[in-house]
Amino acid sequence: MDAFRSLPVANISDVMSRMTAGGAALRPYFTGGMMVGPAITVKARPGDNLMVHKALDIAEPGDIVVVDAGGDLTNAIIGELMVAHAIQRGLGGIVINGAIRDSAELSAGSFPVFALGVTHRGPYKDGPGEVNVPISIGGMVINPGDLVCGDADGFLSVQMDDAESIFAAATKKHEAETKQMEAIRAGKNDRAWVDAALAKLGCVTA
């Protein structure tokens, strides 16, 4: 998992055929850094965070608590107090398919938090909910124990069985882009592929 911290999420996404993502609306509310860790999943009733509290209590250090709260923005699922508890327990981050509050404080901190939006209205604590079950966010299925990666571009989930091959492919992609950036800065970037692609599509250029 630590090895994935050296890779941009965009490169991981590229080698996963650009078909895996938690949705463009799910944005980071923290300052810099990379979120990497195994998922402990929560399926919560929209607006209710009882099972999220339980997940925070049973998660192991480094775990990422990933919550499908139905994408509802009516009530915040977490805020500053719950994040402080997660930090104290050494967790690796929190992803909320729903709303948060205390956004200014969370955004100024380095603890990884992702959410769909912000509201000052607090949550209920009545349930129901489930912990460590398969969930789906933005069409991306996340199973308990999946490797979750996130940075300023968003987050995605990698099945642990595929992690080694995806890491190798993403590393190769990242190295290629690093070399390309060096060529761009040196004014030596090969752009012949653009006209080749247009010609293949039957586009005639002047």
Side-chain angles (χ1 to χ4, degrees):
M1 288 185 289
D2 286 341
F4 272 84
R5 296 184 188 279
S6 64
L7 296 173
V9 168
N11 288 156
I12 302 170
S13 176
D14 284 345
V15 302
M16 295 176 72
S17 301
R18 298 166 181 162
M19 295 286 289
T20 300
L26 204 75
R27 304 310 305 153
Y29 289 87
F30 66 105
T31 301
M34 178 77 172
M35 178 182 75
V36 177
I40 177 168
T41 60
V42 182
K43 188 171 182 63
R45 179 171 67 90
D48 191 285
N49 74 355
L50 179 59
M51 282 302 182
V52 181
H53 278 280
K54 184 60 178 176
L56 293 179
D57 287 344
I58 66 175
E60 299 290 334
D63 282 353
I64 312 295
V65 176
V66 186
V67 183
D68 177 14
D72 182 73
L73 301 180
T74 306
N75 299 82
I77 299 298
I78 66 164
E80 186 179 16
L81 294 177
M82 292 178 72
V83 168
H85 179 55
I87 293 171
Q88 191 276 330
R89 299 207 65 247
L91 304 191
I94 302 176
V95 179
I96 304 291
N97 184 27
I100 62 169
R101 65 180 181 178
D102 304 321
S103 59
E105 291 79 5
L106 300 188
S107 295
S110 60
F111 182 80
V113 175
F114 288 82
L116 281 181
V118 177
T119 180
H120 55 78
R121 294 177 59 172
Y124 300 100
K125 295 175 172 60
D126 305 310
E130 297 176 289
V131 176
N132 277 336
V133 295
I135 61 173
S136 177
I137 297 179
M140 179 176 66
V141 176
I142 305 156
N143 292 293
D146 281 355
L147 177 63
V148 175
C149 303
D151 62 15
D153 286 339
F155 96 106
L156 53 71
S157 177
V158 179
Q159 291 187 10
M160 277 296 188
D161 289 345
D162 299 328
E164 187 174 344
S165 61
I166 288 174
F167 174 75
T171 298
K172 185 176 180 180
K173 173 72 172 177
H174 185 52
E175 290 172 348
E177 288 194 355
T178 299
K179 291 180 181 179
Q180 185 178 2
M181 181 62 76
E182 293 172 354
I184 290 172
R185 288 171 175 164
K188 299 178 180 179
N189 189 37
D190 183 3
R191 303 288 295 170
W193 69 268
V194 178
D195 287 338
L198 291 172
K200 184 177 180 180
L201 294 169
C203 179
V204 178
T205 59

